[in-house]
Tab-separated table of all heavy atoms in Angstrom:
chain	number	residue	atom	x	y	z
O	16	VAL	N	3.717	28.622	25.117
O	16	VAL	CA	3.922	27.384	25.905
O	16	VAL	C	4.353	27.572	27.277
O	16	VAL	O	5.065	28.625	27.554
O	16	VAL	CB	4.870	26.385	25.156
O	16	VAL	CG1	6.264	26.858	25.147
O	16	VAL	CG2	4.789	24.950	25.821
O	17	HIS	N	3.848	26.755	28.212
O	17	HIS	CA	4.352	26.822	29.640
O	17	HIS	C	5.252	25.666	29.911
O	17	HIS	O	4.928	24.570	29.820
O	17	HIS	CB	3.158	26.691	30.619
O	17	HIS	CG	2.110	27.921	30.354
O	17	HIS	ND1	2.222	29.054	31.042
O	17	HIS	CD2	1.115	27.963	29.546
O	17	HIS	CE1	1.231	29.834	30.547
O	17	HIS	NE2	0.639	29.263	29.634
O	18	LEU	N	6.546	26.020	30.156
O	18	LEU	CA	7.499	24.943	30.424
O	18	LEU	C	7.824	24.787	31.908
O	18	LEU	O	8.392	23.817	32.284
O	18	LEU	CB	8.834	25.224	29.638
O	18	LEU	CG	8.749	25.223	28.039
O	18	LEU	CD1	10.172	25.583	27.491
O	18	LEU	CD2	8.279	23.902	27.589
O	19	ARG	N	7.381	25.618	32.757
O	19	ARG	CA	7.555	25.592	34.128
O	19	ARG	C	9.094	25.672	34.520
O	19	ARG	O	9.966	26.125	33.615
O	19	ARG	CB	6.987	24.298	34.795
O	19	ARG	CG	5.569	24.084	34.375
O	19	ARG	CD	4.486	25.057	34.667
O	19	ARG	NE	3.227	24.631	34.433
O	19	ARG	CZ	2.129	25.471	34.253
O	19	ARG	NH1	2.295	26.750	34.161
O	19	ARG	NH2	1.024	24.923	34.086
O	20	GLU	N	9.551	25.059	35.619
O	20	GLU	CA	11.035	25.182	35.998
O	20	GLU	C	11.326	23.889	36.727
O	20	GLU	O	10.507	23.006	37.038
O	20	GLU	CB	11.174	26.365	36.816
O	20	GLU	CG	10.353	26.487	38.125
O	20	GLU	CD	10.162	27.953	38.591
O	20	GLU	OE1	11.229	28.640	38.846
O	20	GLU	OE2	9.029	28.256	38.927
O	21	GLY	N	12.558	23.682	37.053
O	21	GLY	CA	13.151	22.695	37.913
O	21	GLY	C	12.862	21.356	37.325
O	21	GLY	O	12.855	21.208	36.043
O	22	GLU	N	12.370	20.367	38.010
O	22	GLU	CA	12.145	19.060	37.610
O	22	GLU	C	11.023	18.942	36.574
O	22	GLU	O	11.105	18.186	35.602
O	22	GLU	CB	11.773	18.210	38.946
O	22	GLU	CG	12.101	16.756	38.814
O	22	GLU	CD	10.976	16.027	38.317
O	22	GLU	OE1	9.842	16.397	38.426
O	22	GLU	OE2	11.222	14.836	37.854
O	23	MET	N	9.940	19.694	36.685
O	23	MET	CA	8.939	19.732	35.747
O	23	MET	C	9.460	20.220	34.392
O	23	MET	O	9.100	19.650	33.269
O	23	MET	CB	7.802	20.726	36.246
O	23	MET	CG	6.685	20.791	35.387
O	23	MET	SD	5.563	19.461	35.347
O	23	MET	CE	4.231	20.053	36.401
O	24	LEU	N	10.196	21.278	34.368
O	24	LEU	CA	10.886	21.739	33.123
O	24	LEU	C	11.614	20.497	32.459
O	24	LEU	O	11.491	20.367	31.287
O	24	LEU	CB	11.844	22.867	33.540
O	24	LEU	CG	12.760	23.331	32.382
O	24	LEU	CD1	11.927	23.853	31.118
O	24	LEU	CD2	13.657	24.555	32.854
O	25	SER	N	12.432	19.887	33.228
O	25	SER	CA	13.188	18.756	32.621
O	25	SER	C	12.191	17.695	32.026
O	25	SER	O	12.478	17.017	31.018
O	25	SER	CB	14.097	18.126	33.695
O	25	SER	OG	14.906	19.012	34.301
O	26	SER	N	11.063	17.411	32.700
O	26	SER	CA	10.149	16.419	32.248
O	26	SER	C	9.440	16.839	31.016
O	26	SER	O	9.130	16.033	30.051
O	26	SER	CB	9.047	16.135	33.245
O	26	SER	OG	9.665	15.804	34.469
O	27	VAL	N	9.024	18.126	30.778
O	27	VAL	CA	8.191	18.484	29.647
O	27	VAL	C	9.057	19.020	28.466
O	27	VAL	O	8.467	18.932	27.348
O	27	VAL	CB	6.988	19.492	30.064
O	27	VAL	CG1	6.190	18.785	31.173
O	27	VAL	CG2	7.474	20.843	30.479
Side-chain angles (χ1 to χ4, degrees):
V16 67
H17 299 268
L18 295 178
R19 315 299 191 206
E20 57 203 308
E22 209 265 338
M23 178 77 101
L24 169 61
S25 304
S26 305
V27 302

